[in-house]
Amino acid sequence: MKKQKNYMKRTKRGWKSLVSLCLSLGIVTSMFFGVAYPKLPETTGYISTVEAAGSVKVIKADKSTAAKVHKQLYRGKAVTLKVKGGQSSSQKLLKKLMPKVQKANKNGVIFHYNYINTKGNYSYYTVSSDDAQLYMYSVKFVNKLWKTIKTKLNTDLNKALYQDYLRNKNEQSRMLHTAYDFYTRYLVATNYAESDGVCYSNQKIGDAIDAVGGWNLKKIVYSGMSPQTTVASEILMRNYSGMMQNGEIYDRIIKSIKTVDGEMRVQVMSYKEFASNKKVKKLYGDENTWCSMYYKPSKGSTTYFKGANHLFLRNREAILYKTKNFCDLSAAMKVYAIGYSDYFSCQFSHSNISYSMIYDSNIYYPPAQTGKAMKNLYKNKAKGVCQAFAAYERILFDQLNITNYFNSNFNINHAWSVVKVKNSKGKTLWIPFDYGIGPCDSRGIRLAVSDDIWKKYLSTDKKRYKLYLANIPGAPTKKNFTNADFN
């Protein structure tokens, strides 16, 4: 909730920024033509002369040659490539070499080059100084972003929860096992007092307690074999059992109550019975309702126990946790990682997230030279309004060889980038990358628009994705991915 409050504060300030943006662009012009967004820099530029440069001979598309090309490019100065073959065959050779270079820099960054001429058995290409700078700062930026992500993930809690991921990589199943284990542990370990307010949520339980004249619930009988205990349930039991002051625990896991020789015995469902229950699956099989397992606030309350919703390592975070180099991620996971870093999360200062782009109503687009633009990202100096965010994002996506588009809508006075990526299983995802993964309203950020505009265009997931993907060639008219598709 703290994060959402921060977003609301930013939104209030953002409204003033957007008003300023509208006035700067000219209200009369925008009434008829919409916001004038800048044309993004081309990925390669025409140069008429060969610059003074380092030189690399390319005969094979192998690891050794890729390392040499990376070393020259990482100097940030113009490079000449002497590539074996005519224009057509040499370009094919460079195309084969590119993935090797992405591996060599460990961050999946590509480089841009221009054909000069062919002499004898070789064709000559040049990487301009700006493109070399673009390459160098792209590698540095992605590397820095990756280290930031790794630091964010490298906690003792995630190290422990990673054990659960290795045992069970099915995310929903892991959630259900954790919930089941926590409930049974809680029943075994807890002696209730009448003031707990949990004993009478189920009439049968209340009757059994009255029959034995006490609240000793330590005797647990399983309907089936107890599943393997999850690390997450152990952490919950140690640190968060106080959150389970909720009578619904009985209705969800207790099967029957019996008294034997004056001792009350509680028979719990088997894991199979628990996991097949529709209500249980809805509550604990989806990450969006995961924190309801820990605590159900009183009516009108918006308070949750801080940190409780992080006691589950999601599959995509586990993938980031275990992957050594950024270049080894699928395209979909690269996009998720950039969103997870919160670098483009629309901050108004570096007080909340130290390494991030800053919203500035006075800056509409990045520098014309993409090398300088990427330097801004790396040096933590990138600033601008929504269209600048989208432009910077597109430069980054281009450098990662990710298909991307620029989109905007006059009715909501907003601009964003859209990416088309594949996950590790080959599924194509169309993702509007707006202050993170997906349209920003779904991430707890509401754009600075009137209530009427918000209701008309942004009030539902269906409306948001229809608008955000509109006018993009080949894009669907609705969201075509789920959280599970990030793999």
Side-chain angles (χ1 to χ4, degrees):
M1 293 310 301
K2 183 178 179 182
K3 190 173 182 179
Q4 290 185 356
K5 289 179 180 178
N6 287 335
Y7 280 141
M8 293 303 294
K9 289 180 182 178
R10 296 182 212 129
T11 302
K12 290 179 181 178
R13 285 174 285 180
W15 172 246
K16 295 180 181 180
S17 300
L18 284 174
V19 170
S20 174
L21 171 59
C22 288
L23 291 174
S24 300
L25 291 173
I27 294 176
V28 174
T29 301
S30 57
M31 283 176 62
F32 291 95
F33 302 105
V35 180
Y37 298 108
K39 181 181 179 182
L40 291 175
E42 298 292 337
T43 56
T44 58
Y46 174 78
I47 58 174
S48 57
T49 59
V50 179
E51 303 175 55
S55 179
V56 181
K57 182 184 287 187
V58 179
I59 298 175
K60 295 180 180 180
D62 57 11
K63 186 177 180 180
S64 176
T65 304
K68 292 177 183 178
V69 171
H70 164 66
K71 185 177 180 180
Q72 283 293 330
L73 290 171
Y74 200 67
R75 294 165 56 246
K77 298 180 180 180
V79 176
T80 297
L81 301 175
K82 183 180 178 182
V83 187
K84 186 177 180 180
Q87 184 175 355
S88 178
S89 59
S90 63
Q91 287 179 352
K92 289 179 181 178
L93 182 56
L94 285 175
K95 188 176 181 180
K96 289 181 179 179
L97 181 66
M98 191 66 77
K100 300 286 196 317
V101 174
Q102 289 179 281
K103 287 283 187 180
N105 62 54
K106 299 181 180 180
N107 292 288
V109 174
I110 65 171
F111 65 95
H112 307 287
Y113 50 83
N114 295 273
Y115 171 76
I116 302 301
N117 56 30
T118 298
K119 291 183 179 180
N121 296 325
Y122 290 91
S123 292
Y124 292 82
Y125 296 82
T126 185
V127 179
S128 69
S129 57
D130 183 55
D131 281 336
Q133 290 269 312
L134 175 61
Y135 176 86
M136 178 183 72
Y137 282 114
S138 295
V139 173
K140 288 185 174 185
F141 172 68
V142 177
N143 187 57
K144 190 173 182 178
L145 204 65
W146 186 231
K147 286 183 178 179
T148 301
I149 292 167
K150 283 292 195 177
T151 300
K152 187 177 178 181
L153 285 165
N154 191 29
T155 65
D156 290 337
L157 176 62
N158 281 342
K159 289 176 184 177
L161 296 182
Y162 188 62
Q163 297 175 44
D164 290 338
Y165 169 79
L166 292 177
R167 279 191 226 163
N168 185 358
K169 295 186 179 181
N170 183 294
E171 192 168 283
Q172 186 183 70
S173 173
R174 204 161 70 250
M175 286 182 181
L176 291 170
H177 272 282
T178 301
Y180 181 79
D181 291 345
F182 181 41
Y183 276 148
T184 53
R185 277 170 165 269
Y186 186 61
L187 285 171
V188 170
T190 307
N191 281 314
Y192 292 109
E194 188 174 2
S195 60
D196 286 338
V198 296
C199 296
Y200 298 101
S201 64
N202 183 306
Q203 190 59 45
K204 291 181 181 179
I205 296 171
D207 292 342
I209 291 171
D210 290 339
V212 298
W215 294 276
N216 184 0
L217 306 183
K218 286 189 175 182
K219 191 65 176 180
I220 299 294
V221 179
Y222 288 94
S223 295
M225 185 179 293
S226 176
Q228 189 174 29
T229 300
T230 62
V231 176
S233 69
E234 294 174 5
I235 297 171
L236 282 166
M237 196 61 223
R238 283 200 306 268
N239 303 311
Y240 294 91
S241 60
M243 291 187 288
M244 289 308 301
Q245 303 302 312
N246 183 347
E248 293 180 10
I249 180 175
Y250 293 105
D251 300 324
R252 293 172 190 169
I253 198 165
I254 292 181
K255 190 173 183 179
S256 67
I257 306 293
K258 293 181 180 179
T259 56
V260 179
D261 298 329
E263 181 181 51
M264 185 173 72
R265 296 187 179 184
V266 178
Q267 184 182 37
V268 299
M269 298 177 185
S270 66
Y271 172 73
K272 186 176 181 180
E273 290 171 323
F274 177 80
S276 61
N277 184 290
K278 289 183 179 180
K279 184 177 180 181
V280 166
K281 289 178 73 173
K282 182 178 180 181
L283 285 170
Y284 309 135
D286 177 73
E287 68 170 282
N288 294 325
T289 55
W290 175 245
C291 65
S292 68
M293 169 182 169
Y294 308 109
Y295 178 66
K296 184 177 181 180
S298 58
K299 187 176 181 180
S301 172
T302 57
T303 303
Y304 288 87
F305 282 81
K306 185 178 180 181
N309 61 320
H310 297 301
L311 292 176
F312 178 80
L313 188 66
R314 297 171 296 187
N315 278 11
R316 50 200 185 280
E317 291 174 359
I319 291 170
L320 296 181
Y321 182 87
K322 73 174 183 178
T323 303
K324 183 178 180 180
N325 297 317
F326 188 85
C327 67
D328 296 326
L329 297 170
S330 69
M333 280 304 301
K334 287 174 183 174
V335 172
Y336 176 76
I338 295 167
Y340 182 78
S341 73
D342 281 326
Y343 187 91
F344 296 105
S345 61
C346 193
Q347 305 297 316
F348 288 85
S349 73
H350 286 132
S351 59
N352 293 318
I353 301 174
S354 59
Y355 197 54
S356 62
M357 188 170 169
I358 299 299
Y359 190 95
D360 188 330
S361 59
N362 297 311
I363 301 174
Y364 301 142
Y365 42 84
Q369 287 184 298
T370 51
K372 289 184 178 180
M374 188 55 71
K375 184 178 180 179
N376 280 350
L377 289 174
Y378 170 64
K379 294 287 187 179
N380 209 24
K381 294 180 179 180
K383 298 180 180 180
V385 295
C386 56
Q387 66 189 38
F389 271 74
Y392 271 112
E393 289 161 4
R394 290 201 63 200
I395 293 170
L396 174 60
F397 293 140
D398 279 344
Q399 286 306 103
L400 296 174
N401 204 27
I402 290 174
T403 302
N404 63 86
Y405 305 87
F406 182 89
N407 209 355
S408 63
N409 184 277
F410 171 69
N411 293 307
I412 63 172
N413 192 30
H414 191 48
W416 59 91
S417 61
V418 176
V419 295
K420 178 186 178 183
V421 292
K422 287 187 177 182
N423 64 12
S424 63
K425 297 179 181 178
K427 180 178 178 179
T428 299
L429 318 181
W430 287 88
I431 307 170
F433 192 91
D434 191 22
Y435 302 143
I437 301 293
C440 62
D441 291 272
S442 65
R443 302 180 70 244
I445 311 171
R446 178 170 169 175
L447 293 176
V449 296
S450 68
D451 289 341
D452 289 340
I453 292 295
W454 186 83
K455 185 176 181 180
K456 184 175 181 180
Y457 296 104
L458 303 167
S459 58
T460 67
D461 212 42
K462 184 177 180 180
K463 290 179 181 179
R464 286 192 291 270
Y465 275 85
K466 183 178 180 180
L467 181 146
Y468 273 67
L469 293 170
N471 304 315
I472 301 294
T477 58
K478 59 183 179 181
K479 184 177 180 179
N480 80 324
F481 64 92
T482 66
N483 291 328
D485 288 320
F486 288 102
N487 52 51

